[in-house]
């Protein structure tokens, strides 16, 4: 299987803080990989590095055969990587439809074409009824849906989702998981940063665990969750001898 | 030649002290409240007029009037923060910029209406006195102004580093959200920041009166210098603003001396553009040091 | 992309256009025509500013740079080389576009207030340069342009009304350009940049490129206004051409009227100029500072009360009164 994303020896410091240290992992095409770790582990920073918002101090990032380091975010998006932000950032002055159309314009500059692609993405995330609402009037969860629709409208090959499940109730989590599964079935490569274990176990083929900017474990979900290092990172040394239950939310 | 150079440097240094008072105020407000106060110069102007009227009506020396202008402008600052600035904090860059800009426009034109465009000056016993250091001619009024300016800057520095309120201001400047979580009341801190900044502007005005005329637009010249110094010294960095102001004063003075009497401003602007082009974050890093 | 409008589209263009076309025929006072010309001209400058400042929210306070470059280019070509100001106008536009490239490259790396300060500085530097250089640009005294009588080919007319229609044409061009951009992919990209640059980059918007492009268009149009102004008042000097007041008014009319909307700058200009005219008739012209004091108060009021500008208030009022619909908030962009 071809590799969609190869991260090698990625490092980034902010002043004295080593946010990401010598991180290496890869994602195969069509796979869903989860990036987990306690708060401050460097997950969102990794996303920012991959999508071009920060420049790494060292290391390389290659996606679909092309080196990404040094490219600006818009070029990385044009190359096929789309991302959502941890706190949704809709264009408040525009409606849902206009927001998503802005994403669609990347590949189709015509109004009709972009509108069509936007409708598709909006239908997919289930926001059709609210198409003409101003983005600033949406609930937080709908804003997240909007964020995802907008990202999908850019026709990505690799989607990076940053904590899309935060604050969702169990029913909503199931919906979100179903969405991710459908995307995966379409062949999309997905990397998710998540804390909600239930969702991770459901969608991720591989889990990469970060702590203090470093990778401390990588592998299939069952292996990783039984890993002593991982348990120690999340829960402290006292818990190392018990296994982490699938329903626990860290 | 050396003498001319030294004289120019001294001239620049002395006026740089005044620029420092204005620019420290701008950078303080930007660091703590995260707003650019385009009206800072107008508060200098107000300080000047206060001193002028105290001198003209009651014969009070401008240096003494510091004790009036500074507290008066502190109160004005608290009011401005409470009634104007507070309302636009959540609105984003454009309304904020335009609010202080409109305030500037308002103050200049109200002054024009009230006082006309006439230059007002104050004569003091020491206005014409100068000290001679070797071949260098140091006007006493400017020297006093410089001294008081440095004293005030030093006091501010101590305040920021040694008092709880000062530390709260630095904390709010570095990370407002965390500061709030730690129990710091942002409104109070902002009010003090704006009050102090305006008090410093008022001080600059009073210190200027012995050797500079007051007129409605006088603030605009100083605020320009202040802005360049603030950018050069890194937005939010008080020490940086001080050092950069002194540098600006010297650069302007050298420009006037060696390039042409109308070239002071060009030199300053070019410095600004160079800074923005090469090192937009300024020469020094960090917040409110 | 249409703003939600309560009335059919053609009415919004047709009515003002019809009024504007016949207005000078109904009014004969030269003083009134002069006011109308100023309104049209400053509305046009406001429209030009609005492209970069209103839609993309890049708060330029230095547009006078392009106004002045346009004015000086056509004047230099006219006086030194005898070139018709019609051509000079276009040449001025080209000069402005060329200038906008390095200025943009420098200023767009900065955000928020940094950007504004940098734009102020560039306009001031140009003013200072033109004040110094007597050789090709007449220095601080400026110059008058030779009075050639009624020569349409040299953009000089005896009839004031001619200037009115030229200014109207310029405004119409500005509005048409804005309208076309607004309803194209470029309009969406501009608003996206204005709302959230980082989020825009994440969906493939080359924010630097689009800022540069719209800035060029904005600079070009502003320069045209500069040429017109010189031809109208027959005089130019650096203080007028690169005046900070021009930069301020360019932004002011849009902010008061409605940033990022098609008609905002027009509404703002009409309001501000009407206020100014009223003040002049009440107070006479002896009260220096009265006019700007009122401007400042209006601006403060708008910022505190309706930061997105007054156009929204007007359309809401219309919707509320005429159609008994609940008021909506500021300009909405729909797909």
């Amino acid at each position: 299987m071809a590799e969609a994303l190869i991260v090698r020896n990625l490092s980034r410091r902010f002043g004295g803080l080593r946010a990401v240290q010598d991180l290496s992992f890869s994602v195969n095409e069509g796979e869903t990989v989860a990036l987990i770790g306690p708060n401050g582990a460097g997950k969102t920073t990794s996303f920012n590095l991959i999508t071009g918002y920060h420049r790494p101090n060292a290391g390389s990032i290659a996606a679909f055969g092309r080196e990404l380091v040094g490219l600006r975010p818009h070029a990385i998006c044009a190359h096929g990587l789309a991302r959502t932000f941890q706190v949704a950032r809709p264009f408040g002055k525009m409606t849902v439809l206009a927001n998503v159309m802005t994403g669609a314009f990347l590949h189709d500059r015509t109004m009709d074409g972009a509108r069509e692609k936007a409708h598709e993405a909006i239908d997919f995330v289930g926001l059709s009824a609210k198409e003409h609402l101003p983005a600033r009037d949406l609930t937080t969860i709908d804003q997240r849906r909007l964020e995802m629709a907008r990202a999908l409208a850019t026709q990505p090959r690799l989607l990076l989702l940053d904590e899309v499940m935060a604050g969702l109730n169990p029913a909503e989590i199931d919906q979100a998981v179903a969405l991710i599964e459908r995307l995966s079935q379409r062949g999309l490569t997905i990397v998710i940063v998540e804390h909600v274990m239930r969702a991770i176990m459901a969608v991720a083929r591989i889990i990469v665990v970060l702590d203090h900017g470093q990778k401390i474990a990588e592998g299939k979900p069952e292996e990783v969750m039984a890993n002593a290092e991982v348990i120690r990172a999340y829960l402290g040394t006292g818990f190392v001898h018990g296994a982490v239950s699938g329903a626990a939310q860290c | 030649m050396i003498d001319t150079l030294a004289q120019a440097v001294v001239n620049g240094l002395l006026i740089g002290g005044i620029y420092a008072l204005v620019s420290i105020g701008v950078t303080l407000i930007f660091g703590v409240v995260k707003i650019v106060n385009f009206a800072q110069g107008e508060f200098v102007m107000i300080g000047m007029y206060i001193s002028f009227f105290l001198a003209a009506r009651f014969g009070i020396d401008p240096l003494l009037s510091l004790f009036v202008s500074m507290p008066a402008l502190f109160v004005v600052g608290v009011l401005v923060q409470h009634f104007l600035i507070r309302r636009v904090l959540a609105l984003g860059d454009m309304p904020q910029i335009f609010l202080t800009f409109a305030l500037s426009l308002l103050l200049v034109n109200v002054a024009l209406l009230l006082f006309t465009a006439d230059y007002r000056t104050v004569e003091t016993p020491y206005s014409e006195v100068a000290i001679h250091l070797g071949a260098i001619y140091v006007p006493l009024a400017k020297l006093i102004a410089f001294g008081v300016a440095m004293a005030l800057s030093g006091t501010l520095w101590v305040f920021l580093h040694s008092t709880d309120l000062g530390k709260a201001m630095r904390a709010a400047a570095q990370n407002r959200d965390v500061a709030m979580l730690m129990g710091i009341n942002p409104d109070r801190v902002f009010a003090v920041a704006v009050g102090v900044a305006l008090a410093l502007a008022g001080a600059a005005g009073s210190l200027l009166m012995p050797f500079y005329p007051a007129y409605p637009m006088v603030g605009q010249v100083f605020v320009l210098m202040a802005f360049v110094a603030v950018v050069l010294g890194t937005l939010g960095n008080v020490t940086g603003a001080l050092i950069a102001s002194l540098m600006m004063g010297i650069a302007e003075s050298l420009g006037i001396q060696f390039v042409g009497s109308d070239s002071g401003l060009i030199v300053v602007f070019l410095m600004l553009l160079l800074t923005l082009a090469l090192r937009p974050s300024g020469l020094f890093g960090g917040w409110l040091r | 992309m249409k703003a939600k409008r309560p009335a059919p589209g053609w009415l919004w263009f047709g009515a003002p256009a019809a009024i504007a076309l016949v207005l000078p025929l109904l009014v004969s006072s030269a003083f009134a025509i002069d006011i109308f010309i100023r309104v049209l001209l400053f509305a046009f400058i406001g429209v030009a500013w609005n492209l970069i400042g209103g839609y993309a929210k890049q708060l330029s306070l230095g547009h006078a740079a392009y106004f002045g470059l346009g004015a000086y280019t056509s004047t230099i070509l006219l006086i030194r080389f005898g070139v018709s100001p019609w051509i000079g106008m276009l040449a001025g536009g080209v000069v402005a576009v060329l200038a906008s490239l390095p200025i943009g490259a420098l200023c767009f790396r900065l955000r928020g207030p940094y950007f504004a300060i940098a734009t102020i500085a560039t306009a001031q530097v140009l003013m200072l340069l033109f004040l110094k250089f007597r050789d090709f640009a007449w220095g601080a005294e400026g110059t008058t342009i030779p009075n050639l009588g009624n020569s349409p080919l040299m953009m000089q007319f005896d009839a004031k009304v001619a200037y009115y229609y030229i200014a109207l044409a310029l405004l119409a061009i500005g509005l048409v350009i804005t309208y076309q951009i607004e309803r194209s992919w470029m309009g969406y990209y501009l608003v996206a940049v204005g709302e959230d640059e980082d989020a825009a980059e994440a969906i493939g918007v080359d924010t630097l490129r689009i800022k540069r492009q719209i800035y060029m268009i904005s600079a070009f149009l502003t320069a045209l206004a500069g040429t017109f102004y010189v031809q109208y008042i027959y005089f130019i000097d650096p203080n007028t051409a690169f005046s900070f007041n021009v930069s301020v008014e360019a932004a002011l009319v849009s902010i008061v009227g409605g940033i990022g909307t098609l008609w905002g700058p027009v509404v703002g200009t009409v309001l501000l100029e009407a206020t100014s005219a009223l003040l002049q008739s009440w107070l006479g012209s002896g009260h220096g500072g009265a006019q700007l004091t009122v401007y400042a108060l209006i601006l403060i009021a708008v910022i505190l009360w309706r930061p997105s500008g007054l156009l929204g208030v007007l359309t809401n009022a219309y919707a509320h009164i005429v159609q008994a619909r609940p008021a909506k908030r500021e300009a909405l962009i729909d797909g």
Side-chain angles (χ1 to χ4, degrees):
Chain A
M1 225 192 312
E3 276 160 328
L5 179 69
I6 308 174
V7 172
R8 258 200 272 270
N9 305 112
L10 200 60
S11 291
R12 171 73 203 202
R13 273 181 24 232
F14 293 106
L17 175 68
R18 297 215 201 110
V20 173
Q21 294 179 60
D22 204 39
L23 177 63
S24 300
F25 68 93
S26 61
V27 182
N28 289 323
E29 258 188 77
E31 243 177 21
T32 301
V33 169
L35 200 57
I36 71 174
N39 281 323
K43 310 184 294 288
T44 303
T45 308
S46 302
F47 268 22
N48 286 336
L49 288 167
I50 293 171
T51 50
Y53 285 91
H54 292 310
R55 236 200 127 104
N57 296 125
S60 88
I61 304 166
F64 305 109
R66 192 166 167 206
E67 177 63 36
L68 297 185
V69 172
L71 292 183
R72 277 181 39 230
H74 74 89
I76 293 178
C77 177
H79 189 54
L81 277 74
R83 70 161 303 169
T84 63
F85 290 92
Q86 201 169 349
V87 176
R89 300 169 76 152
F91 304 127
K93 218 169 141 177
M94 297 193 200
T95 59
V96 168
L97 179 59
N99 262 272
V100 181
M101 277 172 73
T102 310
F105 283 126
L106 178 61
H107 291 290
D108 188 338
R109 293 252 155 116
T110 70
M111 295 298 279
D112 290 330
R115 197 174 292 123
E116 215 185 287
K117 302 232 173 37
H119 281 310
E120 269 177 47
I122 292 172
D123 287 340
F124 185 82
V125 303
L127 273 180
S128 303
K130 309 189 183 169
E131 221 173 54
H132 296 288
L133 284 186
R136 61 181 165 234
D137 290 345
L138 293 177
T139 62
T140 320
I141 294 182
D142 280 339
Q143 281 187 352
R144 290 222 201 113
R145 290 212 181 101
L146 171 57
E147 187 107 331
M148 193 183 298
R150 199 170 64 184
L152 289 175
T154 65
Q155 296 178 275
R157 294 188 276 172
L158 188 140
L159 185 60
L160 298 127
L161 300 172
D162 200 345
E163 296 197 37
V164 290
M165 316 259 182
L168 298 188
N169 65 41
E172 288 158 346
I173 292 178
D174 287 337
Q175 279 176 11
V177 165
L179 263 178
I180 295 177
E181 280 172 347
R182 278 165 63 197
L183 286 173
S184 190
Q185 278 157 22
R186 288 193 187 180
L188 207 54
T189 312
I190 304 175
V191 180
I192 63 172
V193 163
E194 256 321 323
H195 286 301
V196 177
M197 292 317 290
R198 200 169 107 198
I200 297 171
M201 303 301 272
V203 304
R205 238 183 65 78
I206 305 268
I207 297 183
V208 173
V209 188
L210 296 186
D211 187 28
H212 289 91
Q214 290 176 306
K215 182 171 80 174
I216 60 173
E218 178 178 3
K220 298 217 190 69
E222 317 79 55
E223 296 165 11
V224 166
M225 297 328 294
N227 182 311
E229 277 303 298
V230 175
I231 298 171
R232 189 197 48 76
Y234 271 102
L235 299 178
T237 329
F239 289 88
V240 168
H241 293 298
V244 177
S245 89
Q249 292 197 15
C250 301
Chain B
M1 173 61 180
I2 290 280
D3 284 344
T4 329
L5 179 64
Q7 180 72 56
V9 169
V10 167
N11 289 346
L13 197 62
L14 293 180
I15 197 73
I18 301 284
Y19 295 157
L21 285 180
V22 186
S23 66
I24 287 176
V26 172
T27 217
L28 188 64
I29 295 181
F30 187 82
V32 177
V33 191
K34 303 286 189 281
I35 271 194
V36 177
N37 184 12
F38 279 89
Q40 188 75 1
E42 276 56 66
F43 296 108
V44 174
M45 183 253 302
I46 293 177
M48 290 182 88
Y49 274 104
I50 289 179
S51 295
F52 171 74
F53 282 114
L54 285 177
R57 292 287 177 82
F58 304 110
I60 297 179
D61 186 278
L63 289 179
L64 284 179
S65 67
L66 271 175
F67 292 102
V68 176
S69 61
M70 285 185 73
L73 277 147
F74 180 87
V75 171
V76 170
V78 172
L79 293 174
V80 163
Q81 196 278 333
H82 186 79
F83 288 109
L84 294 177
I85 294 181
R86 206 168 46 117
R87 300 254 187 94
V88 296
L89 280 179
L91 290 181
D93 275 343
M94 196 166 308
Q96 289 168 4
I97 291 175
F98 261 86
L99 180 67
T100 59
F101 180 77
L103 190 57
S104 159
L105 202 61
L106 181 67
L107 292 172
V108 169
N109 285 284
V110 167
L112 204 52
L113 279 174
L114 292 177
F115 309 130
T116 78
D118 292 344
Y119 279 27
R120 318 279 181 155
T121 56
V122 168
E123 280 297 319
T124 66
Y126 48 91
S127 283
E128 302 298 317
V129 175
I131 299 180
H132 292 268
L133 294 177
I136 299 179
Y137 170 89
V138 181
L140 188 57
K142 290 188 186 176
L143 185 61
I144 296 177
F146 179 79
V148 175
M150 291 302 108
L152 287 171
S153 308
T155 312
L156 178 68
W157 196 91
V158 169
F159 169 72
L160 287 175
H161 287 264
S162 307
T163 69
D164 283 346
L165 189 53
K167 291 182 194 171
M169 279 169 60
R170 284 166 57 222
Q174 286 189 26
N175 192 322
R176 184 180 302 182
D177 295 327
V178 172
M180 278 171 70
L181 286 175
M182 313 266 305
I184 290 174
N185 179 347
D187 273 344
R188 187 152 169 259
V189 167
F190 292 172
V192 171
V194 177
V196 167
L198 265 48
L200 289 176
S206 296
L207 291 171
L208 279 169
M209 268 331 283
F211 59 91
Y212 211 93
Y215 57 98
M217 318 239 260
V218 71
Q220 316 239 305
V221 174
F222 287 95
V223 84
L224 210 49
M225 289 298 179
F227 274 8
V228 179
V230 163
V231 172
L232 197 56
T234 303
L235 253 67
N237 188 327
V238 168
T239 321
L242 173 61
I243 297 178
S245 296
L246 298 176
M247 284 168 61
M248 297 309 320
I250 296 175
E252 184 198 19
S253 181
L254 291 175
I256 294 176
Q257 185 65 47
F258 295 110
V259 180
S261 56
D262 52 354
S263 300
L265 268 179
I266 282 203
V267 167
V268 166
F269 273 120
L270 288 177
M271 277 181 76
L272 174 64
L273 291 175
L274 258 175
T275 311
L276 289 173
L278 299 176
R279 214 190 140 106
S281 58
L283 295 177
F284 317 95
W287 295 103
L288 224 56
R289 295 235 200 87
Chain C
M1 175 172 90
K2 311 181 292 280
K4 291 283 185 196
R5 300 198 200 286
W10 58 262
L11 185 61
W12 288 92
F13 275 115
I19 298 175
L21 280 171
V22 301
L23 198 53
L25 308 174
L26 303 174
V27 175
S28 53
S29 142
F31 177 68
I33 304 269
D34 180 65
I35 293 185
F36 295 154
I37 293 176
R38 280 173 198 275
V39 168
L40 289 172
L41 182 66
F42 278 99
F44 173 58
I45 298 175
V47 166
W49 182 90
N50 200 23
L51 288 172
I52 180 90
Y55 289 96
K57 300 238 175 95
Q58 305 298 305
L59 183 54
S60 161
L61 285 174
H63 258 55
Y66 306 112
F67 186 81
L69 283 174
Y72 267 101
T73 305
S74 67
T75 306
I76 290 174
L77 286 176
L78 172 65
I79 296 185
R80 305 241 188 254
F81 301 101
V83 173
S84 158
W86 294 108
I87 300 183
M89 196 186 236
L90 292 175
V94 170
V95 168
V97 167
L98 291 175
S100 78
L101 291 171
I103 294 176
L106 170 62
C107 297
F108 287 131
R109 293 151 83 209
L110 317 164
R111 297 222 187 159
Y114 282 101
F115 176 77
I117 294 171
T119 58
I120 296 176
T122 50
Q124 292 281 28
V125 167
L126 278 172
M127 186 197 292
L128 291 169
L129 287 175
F130 274 84
L131 280 170
K132 267 189 95 59
F133 295 136
R134 323 195 88 83
D135 299 335
F136 71 86
W138 310 282
E141 296 121 30
T143 183
T144 55
I145 60 174
N147 191 333
L148 304 168
N150 193 50
S151 13
L153 287 177
M154 299 303 264
M155 215 192 276
Q156 288 189 21
F157 306 88
D158 280 343
K160 231 184 171 110
V161 170
Y163 292 100
Y164 173 93
Y165 284 112
I166 298 177
L168 182 61
L170 286 175
L171 178 60
I173 291 173
L175 287 172
V176 167
I177 290 178
T178 304
Y179 183 68
Q180 292 298 351
I181 289 179
E182 214 192 30
R183 61 209 306 263
S184 75
W185 62 267
M186 197 179 195
Y188 284 74
Y189 271 18
L190 286 174
V191 175
V193 166
E195 292 285 286
D196 192 327
E197 270 190 56
D198 286 338
E201 280 270 334
I203 55 172
V205 178
D206 186 344
T207 57
L208 285 185
R209 188 152 169 248
I210 203 128
K211 286 196 276 193
R212 198 186 335 137
Q213 286 174 341
I214 200 68
Y215 197 47
M216 290 197 290
I217 298 176
S218 181
F220 183 85
L221 294 174
T222 309
L224 302 184
T227 299
F228 174 84
Y229 190 69
V230 185
Q231 294 300 124
Y232 182 56
I233 65 170
Y234 287 82
F235 175 73
I236 187 176
D237 77 337
N239 279 308
T240 324
F242 295 103
S243 158
F244 186 51
N245 283 339
V246 170
S247 296
V248 168
E249 183 123 9
L252 201 63
V253 299
S254 296
I255 295 196
V256 168
I259 32 162
T261 66
L262 181 63
W263 292 102
V266 177
V267 168
T269 315
V270 168
L271 174 69
L272 288 174
E273 290 295 319
T275 313
S276 171
L278 272 175
L279 274 176
Q280 268 203 306
S281 61
W282 280 346
L283 303 174
S285 40
H287 296 252
Q291 172 178 318
L292 286 178
T293 299
V294 177
Y295 272 27
L297 286 170
I298 292 178
L299 187 54
I300 292 177
V302 168
I303 289 171
L304 291 180
W305 176 55
R306 275 281 179 279
S308 51
L310 294 175
L311 182 64
V313 174
L314 292 180
T315 50
N316 285 349
Y318 179 80
H320 200 66
I321 296 170
V322 170
Q323 300 203 318
R325 276 217 236 136
K328 284 198 202 57
R329 280 190 291 159
E330 52 151 296
L332 186 67
I333 292 139
D334 199 356

